[in-house]
Amino acid sequence: MGTAPRRSSVSPSRAQSRRSLSVRAAKTENGPTIAIAGVTGAVGQEFLRVITERKFPYSNIKMLASARSAGRQYEFEGETYTVEELTEDSFKGVDIALFSAGGSISKKYAAVASAAGATVVDNSSAFRMTEGVPLVIPEVNPEAMAGYRAGGGGIIANPNCSTIIALVAVAPLHRLAGVKRMVVSTYQAASGAGQAAMEELELQTREVLDGKPVTQNIFPFQYAFNVFSHNSPMTDNGYNEEEMKMVKETHKILGTSDIRVTATCIRVPVMRAHAESINLEFERDISEEEALRALAAAPGIQVADDRAANWFPTPLSVSHLDDVFVGRVRRDYSRDDARGLNLWVCGDQVKKGAALNAIQIAELLL
Ligand SMILES: NC(=O)c1ccc[n+]([C@@H]2O[C@H](COP(=O)([O-])OP(=O)(O)OC[C@H]3O[C@@H](n4cnc5c(N)ncnc54)[C@H](OP(=O)(O)O)[C@@H]3O)[C@@H](O)[C@H]2O)c1
């Protein structure tokens, strides 16, 4: 193998210090009224943090969850908000409704919210593949939501978290050399399955270390000190739903079903942030240097690829960060030509895979 190319290497720990730590209130009279359906959950809580970090303007926030949480109070940007039960009447006067309460709740209430004039940004899988519903990663296909505005109604879908993290990295390379085939293996964190899954991982870890039997409520396998196939339902073709989402959503977002995609989705006992190994085949030769240049220039990406130190992104080092981190950019030597590359990609899926991506969509509505 030749000399390693010169690499733009940004360390996630250094990048961490760039994070916006501002807590300046984004409340403003002229801002939209926002509703967060599922505010008590992992993504719902992240919405609040991202609104503050990005100073997303709002005049009021309606905090919605199930009847179980009604009456719960949150301090947010100096004000006290009381969680209300999500009902059909929740969306009067709402301009932007952020949904993260699960697919069945989105199916039941997103159309109601849209009819009331709210523009819905939905984190569930309920409408992702519905014709006419834009499926948007703002760095990749913002044009898909042209014409949508806050208060104008309609539903925009946030893609699956693993798909977002993969495509933020893959899209610039696709534009450069045309991706023909993508083989992806995911290493998915507990946070992707919500607050209760994170609690189960923590509890089981303590139980194993204490020599106690493990409590299993969320996953079909012991999660602590284990690795297993993604817990989404199995489909007829032997792939689980998470894997098929990566196939179908990639086609919809990149606007072509010519790219052959195959995925293996795995849960790993990591609290937060997903990692993915991605093998790409291109229509033409592509060098590591070209790929690194395109990645470094693309929005939402940081290249962290230090071969000399054998140092690359990890879920821990990218947790709570906005960008998708790409490392281990290397030629696929199983091929006789120079049309193959391997990448290692890490991204915080509660953030870029869910709340941040949705708020970026909401920014495009203003
Ligand atoms: N976690 C991720 O990284 C991620 C990434 C992409 C997409 N998503 C999607 O985002 C959605 C939420 O995920 P999550 O991880 O935040 O889950 P979570 O932590 O389990 O939170 C679920 C939220 O939904 C609310 N909810 C449940 N039943 C409800 C009902 N009948 N009426 C109103 N609200 C109800 C819960 O309220 P209570 O507290 O009152 O029960 C809670 O606020 C899911 O569709 C998920 O697939 C998640």
Side-chain angles (χ1 to χ4, degrees), residues 37-45 64-70 72 83 85-86 99-103 105-106 109 122-125 128 158-161 164 190-196 245 274 349-351 353-355:
V39 73
T40 53
V43 177
Q45 289 294 295
L64 306 169
S66 76
R68 293 179 291 275
S69 306
R72 192 164 162 183
V83 176
E85 181 183 356
L86 171 60
F99 271 71
S100 65
I105 299 298
S106 294
Y109 293 105
D122 182 33
N123 264 282
S124 80
S125 58
R128 287 181 191 148
N158 207 56
N160 164 272
C161 48
I164 293 177
S191 54
Q195 194 58 43
K245 283 175 191 171
H274 290 352
Q349 95 300 332
V350 191
K351 206 162 197 199

Side-chain angles (χ1 to χ4, degrees), residues 141-187:
N141 63 335
E143 68 285 350
M145 55 176 285
Y148 285 77
R149 62 175 178 81
I155 300 171
I156 299 163
N158 207 56
N160 164 272
C161 48
S162 300
T163 310
I164 293 177
I165 289 164
L167 292 193
V168 167
V170 169
L173 302 176
H174 177 56
R175 279 184 220 113
L176 185 69
V179 171
K180 279 181 74 177
R181 181 165 182 257
M182 170 165 114
V183 181
V184 55
S185 302
T186 69
Y187 305 72

